[in-house]
Amino acid sequence: MQSPIQAYLDGLHARVAEMQGGELANYIPELTKADPSWFSICLVTMDGAVYSTGDSAQKFTIQSISKPFVYATALADRGVKFVAGKVGVEPSGDAFNSISLDPKTGAPLNPMINAGAIATASLVAGATPAAQWQRIVDSIGTFIGRDLDIDEDVYRSESDTGFRNRAIAWMLKNFGIIDGEPMASLENYFRQCSILVDCRDLAFMAATLANGGVHPLTGRRALPLEHVERVLSVMATCGMYDFAGSWVYEVGMPAKSGVGGGIIAVLPGRFGIGVFSPRLDPKGNSVRGIEVCRHLSRDFGLHVFSRAGDPSMALGRIYTADQAPSKRQPSPTMRSYLNDNAHRIKYLCLHGFLAVDGIEYVIRRMIEMAADSSSFILDMHQVDGLSESAARLLNDARLRFAGENIAVVFSRIHRRHAIKHFLSTTSPKNDRGYLSFEDNDLAVEWCENHLLGDLAMPTRDPISLADCPLLRGLPPELLAQVEKAATVQHYRQDESILTTGQAGDGRVFFIADGHVSILVPLKNGAHQRITTLGPGMSFGEMALLGQTTRSATVVADGEVSCWVLEADDIDRLAREAPTLRIVLLENISRDMAESLRRATQWIAALA
Ligand code: DON
């Protein structure tokens, strides 16, 4: 099926192709050889999907579109302070070839006019002009995602006729803006303008800026993130020269044009756009290029000042531990406390990229729920990213809630290092850090303990075999015989009591003290905890149903003591008193029904 985006671009291309106004640039003789009918549009998404239409394979010279990328390279190589001492960031409102210099320092007003661009070409790293040229092609090549060539004829043509730029370069030398040999820097500037690109290349350059400096397909970083905003700011205010104000007013995207006929427009975090048509208006901007960007901005609502997304989208479902308790099987007293209070543990499913506005909404909802909450589990499973400022607010809120004895914990961040990074780096110095759990079950179990702690509820009760649900209903004389047959075993923390796949030896375990985790192996070699059992609970009872190999691994969560019954002893006792087997099987069935009910509840809560 054809994408509607593609159909839209094809339609836009057909409509705008009818515009015949504008002239080819002729001040560089070689540029007059272009075919005025060439026209292409390309749009690249942040995951590298490409929509293109028209003459998308037609090569042309990049011209001034190289300027923001060489400025970016100078910032990366020499740092903001040094570059700022040589080139300003004020819009001149003048033509691209104007000689707009600061009257006191002689520094060009911005890096988009020729004077500023020639100065920035002299700033990139490299001990010789040849090394600096190599740095320029490598850097622009990283933005585009391939090795580059230049159009030698266009380069020669401009170098032979560029007297005004030559004068500008000498003036920059006069003011001490260019330190080295100005003519060598000027030749590098002429070469950078002659780099051959097609419309797709332009869209990828724009998309790399939109993507925070990382090429969407190669994954290579072309520019440190901290400089991306700087480059886009200069493009927004100066990229279209003496058309810059109208451009922001009508189109509203950081952009850059070139006299070769190209225009790039950047919609941060969303799209990179390239348009190519060599018919220029008197200001040196592509006539059709401007028209295409106007339409795209209006039809797709791309103006950077247009209303952003709805912050409430950051928060999806809210549910409680009443609906989705932990898989642990608590003792009866713990269960009754939890039954009454589990609604005070709230799960909040967060969504999308969390910026300050979205997090403000989430925190506001948490504050509204605080009076009836003991803890919040922020489920990050569907979060794509987190801004540094949002992470700072979230940490601040977490500490404020902690001051009111309300815990805020995270679950399912998994391996998203960018999220972890900002949560760690924005956490205040005296803070012991945030709690993060691999799954919601571990998180809710922690929150249940927090709740039990709140209620000054002992998490362990001394028990006897008579308290064990599996033996419930056994006549006292039979129970006494079972107690006589049982032995007590002790396990250290993290000791494996049973292992998945291990041959069944028929032992059944009843926990006297401590907790064990029941784990099942995953395909990747890791384990998934399916439940935690505490005092009174039993495991290994499937042996009584004739299962010969162990289906799960059981690990001691701390010091653990168990009563252990051998299958042979149970068989022997059951031969003498068949009631024993009947009671055991009834209790196992009841337990299974309860597990099934809880699993169904969990699935319903997640749906
Ligand atoms: O300095 C020059 O004249 C060029 N080679 C670049 C000019 C340019 O692309 C101006 N932008 N619209």
Side-chain angles (χ1 to χ4, degrees):
M1 188 195 95
Q2 193 197 33
S3 156
I5 307 277
Q6 185 61 51
Y8 168 85
L9 289 185
D10 291 344
L12 181 61
H13 184 275
R15 284 199 311 280
V16 176
E18 284 173 13
M19 293 177 77
Q20 301 296 330
E23 302 293 332
L24 297 180
N26 58 13
Y27 76 98
I28 301 173
E30 197 60 26
L31 291 183
T32 59
K33 294 187 179 163
D35 179 342
S37 71
W38 285 336
F39 181 26
S40 48
I41 309 172
C42 185
L43 184 140
V44 169
T45 65
M46 292 305 86
D47 58 352
V50 179
Y51 298 93
S52 68
T53 184
D55 305 298
S56 42
Q58 179 59 52
K59 291 270 192 293
F60 54 94
T61 52
I62 190 169
Q63 297 297 339
S64 285
I65 299 172
S66 60
K67 291 172 179 174
F69 299 92
V70 176
Y71 177 62
T73 313
L75 284 175
D77 292 352
R78 308 295 288 265
V80 181
K81 202 160 165 232
F82 187 85
V83 173
K86 301 284 188 183
V87 188
V89 290
E90 294 305 333
S92 66
D94 293 329
F96 71 87
N97 56 1
S98 67
I99 306 181
S100 310
L101 308 182
D102 182 296
K104 285 203 195 82
T105 61
L109 285 195
N110 67 65
M112 301 295 115
I113 51 170
N114 290 1
I118 296 166
T120 42
S122 78
L123 295 178
V124 298
T128 62
Q132 288 185 301
W133 167 242
Q134 195 53 51
R135 170 73 182 127
I136 290 171
V137 260
D138 287 348
S139 175
I140 297 185
T142 311
F143 275 100
I144 294 181
R146 64 175 180 85
D147 292 339
L148 303 176
D149 295 315
I150 68 166
D151 184 325
E152 288 290 343
D153 294 337
V154 172
Y155 161 61
R156 280 273 131 246
S157 182
E158 181 160 26
S159 180
D160 290 346
T161 56
F163 305 117
R164 188 180 172 94
N165 281 339
R166 204 154 266 126
I168 291 174
W170 278 117
M171 205 169 51
L172 293 170
K173 178 69 185 171
N174 174 60
F175 282 110
I177 300 297
I178 293 183
D179 289 330
E181 215 285 283
M183 291 306 104
S185 294
L186 181 71
E187 291 308 314
N188 278 351
Y189 168 73
F190 287 149
R191 279 193 198 92
Q192 80 180 49
C193 288
S194 309
I195 288 172
L196 277 168
V197 289
D198 58 28
C199 194
R200 186 178 186 277
D201 293 333
L202 291 188
F204 267 103
M205 294 172 87
T208 300
L209 283 176
N211 196 33
V214 174
H215 190 284
L217 287 185
T218 66
R220 285 187 65 194
R221 178 164 286 285
L223 180 66
L225 179 63
E226 56 172 310
H227 296 313
V228 172
E229 280 175 11
R230 299 190 172 104
V231 174
L232 291 178
S233 305
V234 173
M235 285 170 66
T237 51
C238 317
M240 301 300 277
Y241 311 109
D242 38 344
F243 187 62
S246 308
W247 174 270
V248 174
Y249 196 84
E250 292 175 35
V251 178
M253 285 182 258
K256 186 72 204 82
S257 62
V259 291
I263 294 185
I264 60 166
V266 178
L267 196 66
R270 293 156 81 185
F271 296 117
I273 296 165
V275 192
F276 165 57
S277 165
R279 292 172 179 275
L280 307 183
D281 66 13
K283 298 182 181 201
N285 298 322
S286 167
V287 173
R288 289 172 179 167
I290 290 176
E291 190 61 10
V292 164
C293 292
R294 270 193 192 122
H295 278 282
L296 277 171
S297 173
R298 213 177 308 132
D299 297 346
F300 288 168
L302 302 185
H303 196 295
V304 282
F305 297 147
S306 71
R307 192 174 166 274
D310 177 353
S312 70
M313 297 304 281
L315 181 56
R317 270 173 52 70
I318 300 176
Y319 58 100
T320 72
D322 213 11
Q323 296 155 291
S326 79
K327 293 180 195 138
R328 152 175 67 190
Q329 299 176 25
S331 62
T333 17
M334 273 163 72
R335 169 54 60 213
S336 87
Y337 269 119
L338 290 177
N339 280 350
D340 292 344
N341 291 283
H343 67 278
R344 297 181 56 214
I345 300 173
K346 310 271 193 312
Y347 294 85
L348 277 67
C349 300
L350 307 192
H351 282 182
F353 184 86
L354 303 177
V356 165
D357 52 345
I359 279 300
E360 181 280 330
Y361 179 78
V362 171
I363 294 172
R364 185 150 41 89
R365 294 297 308 277
M366 289 162 79
I367 293 171
E368 283 164 14
M369 291 183 276
D372 192 30
S373 298
S374 147
S375 43
F376 293 109
I377 298 169
L378 303 185
D379 183 343
M380 307 292 273
H381 182 56
Q382 311 233 39
V383 170
D384 306 321
L386 174 73
S387 77
E388 185 174 1
S389 35
R392 189 170 296 110
L393 283 181
L394 208 45
N395 272 323
D396 191 352
R398 179 172 59 77
L399 293 178
R400 286 168 194 270
F401 279 121
E404 298 179 16
N405 197 26
I406 299 172
V408 177
V409 303
F410 297 87
S411 80
R412 306 207 283 174
I413 297 180
H414 295 154
R415 287 193 197 85
R416 277 158 305 157
H417 298 295
I419 297 179
K420 289 185 189 164
H421 171 75
F422 283 140
L423 282 176
S424 313
T425 53
T426 59
S427 126
K429 283 215 166 33
N430 55 350
D431 172 28
R432 297 222 319 279
Y434 64 95
L435 262 176
S436 172
F437 297 91
E438 273 304 289
D439 59 41
N440 282 341
D441 183 45
L442 287 168
V444 72
E445 184 175 319
W446 186 92
C447 292
E448 286 173 351
N449 284 342
H450 177 74
L451 188 59
L452 294 165
D454 271 3
L455 298 164
M457 170 68 202
T459 48
R460 50 170 63 183
D461 310 325
I463 59 143
S464 70
L465 263 178
D467 299 315
C468 297
L470 194 62
L471 300 175
R472 202 180 302 141
L474 216 55
E477 61 284 2
L478 254 182
L479 187 67
Q481 291 193 41
V482 168
E483 275 169 343
K484 223 166 105 202
T487 57
V488 176
Q489 304 272 348
H490 301 285
Y491 301 94
R492 291 182 315 279
Q493 169 152 8
D494 297 330
E495 188 173 342
S496 286
I497 305 172
L498 297 177
T499 311
T500 312
Q502 167 192 345
D505 50 13
R507 287 180 302 162
V508 182
F509 299 74
F510 299 82
I511 302 172
D513 194 13
H515 285 83
V516 300
S517 281
I518 311 290
L519 311 171
V520 290
L522 300 176
K523 280 202 193 100
N524 62 5
H527 280 86
Q528 164 77 51
R529 195 186 69 138
I530 51 167
T531 185
T532 301
L533 304 180
M537 312 311 300
S538 35
F539 56 92
E541 70 275 22
M542 291 302 157
L544 299 175
L545 301 179
Q547 194 168 305
T548 50
T549 51
R550 299 297 188 181
S551 56
T553 295
V554 181
V555 178
D557 287 346
E559 299 284 312
V560 170
S561 306
C562 294
W563 290 287
V564 182
L565 273 176
E566 301 287 340
D568 288 349
D569 287 329
I570 295 174
D571 282 348
R572 179 176 50 77
L573 293 172
R575 265 197 303 277
E576 291 160 18
T579 322
L580 175 61
R581 191 170 302 282
I582 294 166
V583 169
L584 284 174
L585 292 179
E586 266 179 10
N587 287 337
I588 289 176
S589 315
R590 191 177 305 121
D591 192 44
M592 279 181 167
E594 164 69 6
S595 303
L596 197 61
R597 190 188 60 77
R598 222 174 305 114
T600 315
Q601 217 177 8
W602 247 105
I603 292 164
L606 288 174

